[in-house]
Amino acid sequence: MLSPQTKNQEIRKIMKKLSIVFGLLYCLVNAAYGQGMEGQYDPAYHFYPSGDPTGLYYFDGDYYNNWGVAKSKDFVHWKFTDYGRRRTENRRLLRDDSTPAKVKDSIRQSMTQLGGSGTIIYDKDNTSGLGTLDNPPFVSLWHNQVEPWNTQVIGLAYSLDSVRSWKRLDKFPVLDIGSREFRDPKVFWYPPTQKWIMAIGWADVPKIKFFESDNLIDWDFLSDFGPWGAKAGVWECVDLFELPVDGDPNDTRWVLTISVQPLSGQYFIGNFDGKRFVLDEGFRADLMAFDNDVHGDVIFDFENGLDGWNMEGDAFLESPSDRALFQQGAIMGQQGKLFLNSFHNKASSVGKVTSPTFKIEKEFMNFLVGGGYYPDEVSINLIVDGRIVRSQSGNNSGGLQWKSWNISEFVGKQATIQAVDEKTDEAGYIYVDHIMQSDRAYQRERENSFWFDYGPDFFAARAWNNYGPNEDRIVWTGWMGSWRYVASEPLRGLQSIPRQLKLKTFTEGVRLVQHPIEELKSLRKKQVKMSPHTLEGEWRPTKLQPSKNVYELEVEFNEINSKKFGVKIGKGGDQETKIIYDVVGQELNVDRTRSGKVDFSGLFPMVSSGPMRKTETVKLHIFVDRSSVEVFGNDGETVISSKIYPDANSTDIEFFTEGGTVHIKKLTRWDLDDIELHQ
């Protein structure tokens, strides 16, 4: 007879194994299909369900998404392919308890022909030798994890029947650098050198690595790029493409993008010569001018170990760590070499460490923290007079972020720091580093860099790998979601609207801008256009109100004499999502703290902010689709993408000012059609 404690341990082991199996399955099918509540939150015109955009390619008149599961002629209206319908049915069978085990095993085996995210290439000249000139192969390159260290490697599969089925190459892997953070390969043909180029994120460092190949099978190292800009997050899902500056085909730059977990991603502008990517001199100078340093008096940095600290339990037995522990993902953002890390024994251990006593001498305490978000079980605490007076958990990511406490009320008192881990699953762990006292708070959601989206829900952005005849645009899309709360949010697994990328010259230099593609206009149905209006306070134009949260809204403001102004969407009862332009701070904000259902995660309610210069006319172009809002400020200069969960009857639109007036120069709303992909 097993004891209750032993039973619980066995149950935890089983649940952990199931978690790993389903997590691997999620990667293997590339999260091609999301999960969530059916009905009120299902998007009408976004590609859904979906995970990371991957395997994006063009062939014979159609654009394909997610390893060929769906196709479209315009990036907007999608239909599942036979392969996609088969994958959908397989997924349903895997989730059905009545499906026989042998059938499930067969389905899982078929799904292993592809791994995680990556690239599909139509090898029309048969450089790989995997097909013939009469029947060229489709070649996919993707990443998988291999035991025992969860090392990430690059595999290859090919199709000789127009992506109806795949066969794995016997040689596996085709590339392995011995890293657990080496994934999401972008592969393309570079005509000047007549080589295939692979760009791939190496998050351990973080860097982007470049390789070349004659045949897509044998790869040679070329160069590294980085780290630059935002260095504390995990780098993944790289992309690289060439764009004209201000539409001039004789003046081009290369744009290198990298998603930065847990937030969206950053971009770099420079040149690529087939061997290495080099930043433009002006862009490099602007990156170097960013200040991401924190100033104060360090009281604990762990560079000399845990001398004087008291340890209980074994969660911190391998602390301070200088690297990720066994089967732990990349850890970014630490200062110096050593940091607290409770991932001992694959995070199954519990325990705490308590610092020596110190005197509080300044008004703020700044520190780096990361790991799982479990405020009641995993945290760093400030203890004064024997009680916890401040506490902070992680953020469900592999990076450490700066957090601050106002401790002015305790100046002059004795205190201790305590790091606690009382959770026994693989998500329950904490990192802590560089605890300091300071005269000012330093709490930053993002490092200073050039971000391509300032919202929380635009990640793993990818452009199509090739395009149809006479198509000279670069079009991309991103996953609307965040690993910080994806497991608990009501609906997960949709892609953003497709966006055209451009380079535009501003006073300070060349920058990346994004525009909703023209084809989205084909979704427009009923149009409501309002006359110009001078706004002070609040204004709810009756004629403009939509019947549901499925619409496009364009508004232009001028004659600006207000500190802040903007629009509230999804308004009803105590619900609203506020889109705010801060004139003084020259910032665009999206406040979803009261956007509807927000209680599924303490990390979801937030205000997102991005820099946007004050211009004579401030433009907002907004796309709302039941569970998402995408805001394009000043012709795509600043973009904020966010998931929201308003009630079905919270649909009102209201305009507002704070401290003055603005003139609404132009105001138009369109109802948008349903592409019915997910039905």
Side-chain angles (χ1 to χ4, degrees):
M1 191 76 177
L2 296 176
S3 69
Q5 183 178 6
T6 303
K7 284 183 178 179
N8 288 337
Q9 289 174 346
E10 291 302 314
I11 290 171
R12 284 197 295 268
K13 288 179 181 178
I14 293 170
M15 292 305 293
K16 185 180 293 185
K17 288 178 180 178
L18 287 174
S19 175
I20 293 171
V21 168
F22 285 116
L24 178 59
L25 180 60
Y26 185 81
C27 286
L28 290 176
V29 301
N30 187 47
Y33 307 102
Q35 302 179 50
M37 295 180 179
E38 298 296 328
Q40 65 170 318
Y41 299 131
D42 284 354
Y45 56 88
H46 284 70
F47 185 88
Y48 161 79
S50 176
D52 295 0
T54 192
L56 308 179
Y57 67 98
Y58 169 86
F59 178 70
D60 196 24
D62 290 303
Y63 290 94
Y64 289 82
N65 205 327
N66 280 355
W67 300 126
V69 302
K71 64 181 181 179
S72 171
K73 295 189 179 301
D74 62 0
F75 303 103
V76 176
H77 296 86
W78 295 94
K79 296 296 180 185
F80 281 122
T81 61
D82 290 341
Y83 176 59
R85 282 188 284 271
R86 190 164 67 251
R87 289 275 289 269
T88 301
E89 176 61 12
N90 283 342
R91 176 178 171 271
R92 185 192 66 78
L93 290 171
L94 284 173
R95 297 176 64 188
D96 189 341
D97 293 338
S98 66
T99 303
K102 287 185 178 181
V103 174
K104 288 187 176 183
D105 288 343
S106 176
I107 291 172
R108 292 189 185 102
Q109 181 61 33
S110 70
M111 285 181 168
T112 62
Q113 299 308 311
L114 294 175
S117 66
T119 305
I120 285 184
I121 298 129
Y122 179 54
D123 184 17
K124 61 183 179 63
D125 294 323
N126 194 33
T127 63
S128 63
L130 298 172
T132 65
L133 288 176
D134 292 333
N135 185 26
F138 288 86
V139 177
S140 64
L141 289 121
W142 32 261
H143 73 271
N144 250 2
Q145 291 185 173
V146 295
E147 297 293 345
W149 296 94
N150 287 346
T151 305
Q152 292 187 328
V153 299
I154 307 305
L156 183 151
Y158 61 97
S159 173
L160 298 176
D161 56 7
S162 299
V163 193
R164 293 183 180 87
S165 64
W166 290 95
K167 181 179 180 180
R168 274 203 183 194
L169 187 70
D170 290 338
K171 178 183 177 181
F172 178 81
V174 297
L175 188 58
D176 178 5
I177 67 167
S179 169
R180 284 177 281 175
E181 301 290 341
F182 182 66
R183 55 183 173 268
D184 315 311
K186 168 62 183 275
V187 181
F188 63 96
W189 180 252
Y190 186 70
T193 60
Q194 294 290 289
K195 299 280 188 180
W196 294 103
I197 302 296
M198 179 189 295
I200 188 166
W202 182 26
D204 300 68
V205 181
K207 289 184 177 180
I208 296 169
K209 300 185 78 68
F210 295 96
F211 300 85
E212 69 175 9
S213 175
D214 294 313
N215 59 9
L216 293 168
I217 298 170
D218 303 300
W219 293 91
D220 296 317
F221 173 70
L222 291 172
S223 61
D224 287 332
F225 171 82
W228 283 98
K231 307 168 190 175
V234 176
W235 285 21
E236 55 192 10
C237 297
V238 66
D239 212 336
L240 178 64
F241 37 80
E242 191 175 14
L243 286 173
V245 179
D246 301 320
D248 182 357
N250 298 312
D251 182 14
T252 64
R253 302 285 191 281
W254 284 80
V255 179
L256 182 64
T257 68
I258 187 80
S259 290
V260 183
Q261 202 182 128
L263 297 168
S264 54
Q266 59 183 332
Y267 69 91
F268 306 97
I269 297 175
N271 289 284
F272 181 70
D273 63 1
K275 301 291 183 184
R276 60 186 54 82
F277 179 84
V278 179
L279 287 169
D280 268 8
E281 187 174 328
F283 194 87
R284 180 177 182 272
D286 291 338
L287 273 174
M288 293 181 69
F290 283 136
D291 179 15
N292 284 314
D293 293 332
V294 184
H295 305 284
D297 297 331
V298 178
I299 55 176
F300 301 112
D301 63 6
F302 310 107
E303 296 304 305
N304 295 314
L306 286 174
D307 289 349
W309 287 64
N310 179 59
M311 183 181 297
E312 301 175 46
D314 58 358
F316 294 91
L317 199 59
E318 296 180 77
S319 287
S321 305
D322 63 353
R323 67 193 68 188
L325 302 180
F326 177 62
Q327 291 197 346
Q328 186 175 25
I331 302 170
M332 312 303 301
Q334 67 268 28
Q335 298 284 306
K337 185 177 182 181
L338 301 175
F339 57 96
L340 282 182
N341 183 354
S342 72
F343 199 81
H344 173 66
N345 198 19
K346 295 190 288 186
S348 64
S349 300
V350 297
K352 61 184 175 182
V353 288
T354 305
S355 76
T357 300
F358 61 93
K359 184 178 180 180
I360 296 178
E361 297 178 327
K362 297 197 173 183
E363 294 187 350
F364 296 94
M365 182 168 287
N366 300 320
F367 53 92
L368 285 162
V369 63
Y373 179 75
Y374 298 97
D376 297 328
E377 299 171 273
V378 183
S379 61
I380 172 177
N381 305 320
L382 176 67
I383 299 176
V384 178
D385 294 333
R387 62 187 182 91
I388 297 173
V389 296
R390 299 288 186 271
S391 185
Q392 176 67 50
S393 192
N395 60 0
N396 283 351
S397 77
L400 289 91
Q401 288 182 301
W402 284 106
K403 296 293 182 181
S404 291
W405 290 324
N406 185 329
I407 55 174
S408 56
E409 64 188 281
F410 307 114
V411 170
K413 291 198 169 190
Q414 299 294 309
T416 57
I417 294 290
Q418 190 177 79
V420 179
D421 182 349
E422 296 178 348
K423 195 165 182 63
T424 58
D425 66 26
E426 290 188 343
Y429 54 88
I430 191 168
Y431 321 125
V432 179
D433 198 12
H434 223 64
I435 303 168
M436 60 171 60
Q437 296 193 57
S438 180
D439 293 323
R440 63 187 180 93
Y442 188 96
Q443 184 157 331
R444 180 172 290 169
E445 182 74 5
R446 300 173 186 269
E447 295 174 272
N448 287 320
S449 190
F450 293 104
W451 296 84
F452 49 66
D453 195 297
Y454 287 88
D457 295 304
F458 184 80
F459 194 75
R462 288 290 184 83
W464 267 262
N465 206 43
N466 62 313
Y467 298 88
N470 305 315
E471 177 59 82
D472 59 0
R473 296 175 300 176
I474 297 293
V475 177
W476 79 351
T477 183
W479 173 55
M480 293 200 72
S482 171
W483 292 115
R484 292 183 294 184
Y485 42 76
V486 65
S488 57
E489 68 176 319
L491 180 141
R492 63 184 192 254
L494 70 151
Q495 290 181 13
S496 72
I497 59 171
R499 307 170 181 185
Q500 181 182 1
L501 299 175
K502 296 182 179 182
L503 290 177
K504 181 178 178 180
T505 302
F506 295 92
T507 304
E508 62 272 24
V510 177
R511 299 291 183 260
L512 184 71
V513 298
Q514 300 177 69
H515 297 277
I517 64 169
E518 284 292 309
E519 289 87 338
L520 287 164
K521 292 180 179 178
S522 66
L523 296 173
R524 291 176 175 174
K525 300 194 314 185
K526 178 183 176 182
Q527 180 191 66
V528 179
K529 194 170 184 177
M530 303 296 296
S531 300
H533 178 84
T534 299
L535 173 65
E536 183 174 17
E538 296 176 345
W539 178 49
R540 180 190 175 278
T542 303
K543 179 183 173 183
L544 191 73
Q545 302 309 308
S547 60
K548 56 186 177 180
N549 285 314
V550 181
Y551 59 86
E552 175 187 356
L553 182 71
E554 278 191 320
V555 56
E556 296 183 5
F557 303 88
N558 64 355
E559 299 176 17
I560 298 167
N561 295 295
S562 180
K563 294 178 181 179
K564 293 181 180 180
F565 60 87
V567 55
K568 301 174 185 179
I569 63 161
K571 187 170 176 60
D574 61 353
Q575 297 181 2
E576 62 183 25
T577 298
K578 293 180 70 174
I579 301 164
I580 310 158
Y581 184 66
D582 182 339
V583 177
V584 177
Q586 295 195 61
E587 239 180 21
L588 181 64
N589 302 307
V590 173
D591 180 349
R592 70 175 184 193
T593 55
R594 297 171 52 208
S595 56
K597 186 173 181 60
V598 299
D599 59 357
F600 53 86
S601 170
L603 294 169
F604 189 80
M606 65 184 303
V607 180
S608 302
S609 303
M612 191 170 87
R613 78 203 70 219
K614 180 178 180 290
T615 49
E616 184 176 333
T617 298
V618 170
K619 301 178 182 179
L620 299 178
H621 193 176
I622 302 166
F623 287 81
V624 180
D625 193 3
R626 291 197 180 106
S627 56
S628 67
V629 56
E630 295 166 78
V631 183
F632 298 79
N634 281 354
D635 297 318
E637 171 190 340
T638 303
V639 184
I640 298 179
S641 303
S642 183
K643 297 285 281 297
I644 54 173
Y645 294 104
D647 292 345
N649 58 358
S650 295
T651 59
D652 280 5
I653 299 173
E654 184 177 274
F655 299 86
F656 67 92
T657 65
E658 295 180 16
T661 63
V662 296
H663 185 253
I664 297 180
K665 173 184 175 182
K666 177 182 177 182
L667 177 55
T668 310
R669 183 186 63 75
W670 294 268
D671 292 336
L672 297 183
D673 206 358
D674 191 331
I675 65 172
E676 299 182 341
L677 172 67
H678 55 281
Q679 296 182 3

